[in-house]
Amino acid sequence: MSNITFTMIKPDAVQDGHIGAILNQITEAGFKIKAMKLTQLTVDDAKKFYEIHAERPFYMELVEFMSSGPIVAAILEKDNAVEDFRKLIGATNPAEAAEGTIRQKFARSIGENAVHGSDSDENAKIEADFHFAGREVF
Ligand code: CMP
Protein backbone atom coordinates (compact mmCIF):
# COMPACT_ATOMS: atom_id res chain seq x y z
CA MET A 1 0.00 0.00 0.00
CA SER A 2 1.43 3.35 -1.07
CA ASN A 3 0.48 6.60 0.62
CA ILE A 4 0.57 8.73 -2.55
CA THR A 5 -2.09 9.50 -5.13
CA PHE A 6 -2.26 11.87 -8.07
CA THR A 7 -5.18 14.19 -8.88
CA MET A 8 -6.24 16.77 -11.43
CA ILE A 9 -8.98 19.33 -10.93
CA LYS A 10 -10.32 19.17 -14.49
CA PRO A 11 -11.12 22.09 -16.87
CA ASP A 12 -14.86 22.06 -16.04
CA ALA A 13 -14.31 22.53 -12.29
CA VAL A 14 -11.58 25.16 -12.84
CA GLN A 15 -13.87 27.07 -15.22
CA ASP A 16 -16.81 26.77 -12.80
CA GLY A 17 -14.75 28.35 -9.97
CA HIS A 18 -14.52 25.25 -7.75
CA ILE A 19 -10.72 25.08 -7.17
CA GLY A 20 -10.92 26.47 -3.62
CA ALA A 21 -13.89 24.35 -2.51
CA ILE A 22 -12.37 21.16 -3.93
CA LEU A 23 -8.93 21.76 -2.36
CA ASN A 24 -10.65 22.52 0.95
CA GLN A 25 -12.58 19.23 0.84
CA ILE A 26 -9.35 17.35 -0.03
CA THR A 27 -7.33 18.84 2.83
CA GLU A 28 -10.24 18.54 5.31
CA ALA A 29 -10.30 14.81 4.47
CA GLY A 30 -6.70 14.55 5.71
CA PHE A 31 -4.69 14.65 2.46
CA LYS A 32 -1.43 16.59 2.52
CA ILE A 33 -0.40 18.43 -0.67
CA LYS A 34 3.08 17.23 -1.75
CA ALA A 35 3.08 19.03 -5.14
CA MET A 36 0.63 21.30 -6.94
CA LYS A 37 0.37 23.52 -10.02
CA LEU A 38 -2.08 25.30 -12.34
CA THR A 39 -1.20 24.14 -15.84
CA GLN A 40 -2.74 23.20 -19.20
CA LEU A 41 -2.27 19.92 -21.07
CA THR A 42 -1.48 20.06 -24.79
CA VAL A 43 -3.44 17.68 -27.04
CA ASP A 44 -0.33 15.46 -27.16
CA ASP A 45 0.02 15.50 -23.34
CA ALA A 46 -3.63 14.46 -22.94
CA LYS A 47 -3.28 11.71 -25.56
CA LYS A 48 -0.27 10.33 -23.71
CA PHE A 49 -1.81 10.64 -20.24
CA TYR A 50 -4.99 8.80 -21.33
CA GLU A 51 -3.25 6.33 -23.70
CA ILE A 52 -4.80 3.43 -21.77
CA HIS A 53 -8.23 4.60 -23.04
CA ALA A 54 -7.11 4.97 -26.69
CA GLU A 55 -9.48 2.27 -27.94
CA ARG A 56 -12.52 3.64 -26.08
CA PRO A 57 -15.18 5.51 -28.10
CA PHE A 58 -14.86 8.60 -25.87
CA TYR A 59 -11.04 8.88 -26.19
CA MET A 60 -10.87 11.92 -28.53
CA GLU A 61 -13.67 13.68 -26.63
CA LEU A 62 -11.69 13.08 -23.41
CA VAL A 63 -8.44 14.34 -24.98
CA GLU A 64 -10.13 17.47 -26.37
CA PHE A 65 -11.83 18.22 -23.06
CA MET A 66 -8.74 17.66 -20.91
CA SER A 67 -6.65 19.99 -23.11
CA SER A 68 -9.41 22.64 -23.42
CA GLY A 69 -8.38 24.80 -20.45
CA PRO A 70 -6.33 25.01 -17.28
CA ILE A 71 -6.24 22.20 -14.74
CA VAL A 72 -4.79 21.90 -11.23
CA ALA A 73 -2.42 18.94 -10.96
CA ALA A 74 -1.40 17.69 -7.51
CA ILE A 75 0.29 14.87 -5.65
CA LEU A 76 -1.47 14.00 -2.39
CA GLU A 77 -0.25 12.05 0.63
CA LYS A 78 -2.29 10.08 3.16
CA ASP A 79 -2.41 6.52 4.50
CA ASN A 80 -4.27 4.38 1.94
CA ALA A 81 -4.25 7.40 -0.42
CA VAL A 82 -5.48 5.80 -3.68
CA GLU A 83 -8.50 4.07 -2.19
CA ASP A 84 -9.46 6.85 0.23
CA PHE A 85 -9.22 9.48 -2.52
CA ARG A 86 -11.45 7.48 -4.86
CA LYS A 87 -14.01 7.28 -2.06
CA LEU A 88 -13.77 11.05 -1.55
CA ILE A 89 -14.33 11.86 -5.25
CA GLY A 90 -17.12 9.33 -5.86
CA ALA A 91 -18.14 7.34 -8.94
CA THR A 92 -16.96 8.33 -12.44
CA ASN A 93 -20.53 9.21 -13.38
CA PRO A 94 -21.65 12.05 -11.05
CA ALA A 95 -25.25 10.79 -11.35
CA GLU A 96 -24.07 7.66 -9.53
CA ALA A 97 -21.67 9.37 -7.09
CA ALA A 98 -22.47 9.15 -3.38
CA GLU A 99 -23.94 12.17 -1.60
CA GLY A 100 -21.28 14.65 -0.48
CA THR A 101 -18.54 13.33 -2.79
CA ILE A 102 -16.59 15.83 -4.90
CA ARG A 103 -18.04 14.61 -8.20
CA GLN A 104 -21.59 14.57 -6.83
CA LYS A 105 -21.19 18.20 -5.76
CA PHE A 106 -19.09 19.69 -8.55
CA ALA A 107 -19.07 17.55 -11.75
CA ARG A 108 -21.07 18.42 -14.86
CA SER A 109 -21.29 14.95 -16.46
CA ILE A 110 -19.49 11.59 -16.86
CA GLY A 111 -17.03 13.17 -19.31
CA GLU A 112 -16.64 16.50 -17.48
CA ASN A 113 -16.41 14.98 -14.03
CA ALA A 114 -14.48 17.63 -12.06
CA VAL A 115 -11.56 15.55 -10.76
CA HIS A 116 -9.22 12.71 -11.59
CA GLY A 117 -7.90 10.22 -9.06
CA SER A 118 -5.31 7.49 -9.72
CA ASP A 119 -6.75 3.97 -9.83
CA SER A 120 -3.69 2.13 -8.43
CA ASP A 121 -0.42 2.75 -6.58
CA GLU A 122 1.49 1.96 -9.76
CA ASN A 123 -0.47 4.50 -11.81
CA ALA A 124 -0.21 7.12 -9.05
CA LYS A 125 3.59 7.02 -9.43
CA ILE A 126 3.46 7.06 -13.26
CA GLU A 127 0.98 9.98 -13.27
CA ALA A 128 2.90 11.96 -10.63
CA ASP A 129 6.12 11.54 -12.63
CA PHE A 130 4.32 12.59 -15.83
CA HIS A 131 3.42 15.99 -14.31
CA PHE A 132 6.16 16.82 -11.79
CA ALA A 133 9.94 17.01 -11.70
CA GLY A 134 11.64 15.85 -8.49
CA ARG A 135 12.34 19.40 -7.32
CA GLU A 136 8.63 20.26 -7.49
CA VAL A 137 7.69 17.54 -4.96
CA PHE A 138 7.92 18.27 -1.21
P1 CMP B 1 -11.05 9.58 -15.08
O1 CMP B 1 -11.41 8.41 -14.24
O2 CMP B 1 -10.35 10.71 -14.51
O3 CMP B 1 -10.20 9.04 -16.35
C1 CMP B 1 -10.85 8.47 -17.46
C2 CMP B 1 -11.92 9.42 -17.89
O4 CMP B 1 -12.67 9.05 -19.02
C3 CMP B 1 -12.97 9.51 -16.79
O5 CMP B 1 -12.41 10.17 -15.69
C4 CMP B 1 -14.08 10.26 -17.50
O6 CMP B 1 -13.89 11.65 -17.46
C5 CMP B 1 -13.89 9.78 -18.92
N1 CMP B 1 -15.00 8.91 -19.28
C6 CMP B 1 -15.28 7.71 -18.76
N2 CMP B 1 -16.40 7.20 -19.34
C7 CMP B 1 -16.81 8.14 -20.24
C8 CMP B 1 -17.90 8.22 -21.14
N3 CMP B 1 -18.80 7.20 -21.24
N4 CMP B 1 -18.01 9.31 -21.91
C9 CMP B 1 -17.10 10.30 -21.82
N5 CMP B 1 -16.04 10.28 -20.98
C10 CMP B 1 -15.91 9.22 -20.20
Side-chain angles (χ1 to χ4, degrees), residues 16-75:
D16 293 344
H18 297 315
I19 294 175
I22 290 172
L23 289 178
N24 188 51
Q25 189 162 347
I26 289 171
T27 53
E28 285 287 308
F31 291 87
K32 184 181 159 214
I33 295 168
K34 300 243 325 154
M36 185 164 71
K37 63 183 160 196
L38 186 67
T39 184
Q40 183 163 353
L41 298 174
T42 65
V43 168
D44 279 350
D45 290 333
K47 278 185 179 167
K48 220 171 285 167
F49 187 87
Y50 285 109
E51 212 162 27
I52 194 166
H53 296 303
E55 302 307 317
R56 308 287 280 274
F58 56 80
Y59 179 61
M60 277 320 294
E61 186 188 323
L62 175 62
V63 165
E64 272 163 35
F65 167 63
M66 285 304 297
S67 58
S68 68
I71 59 160
V72 175
I75 302 172

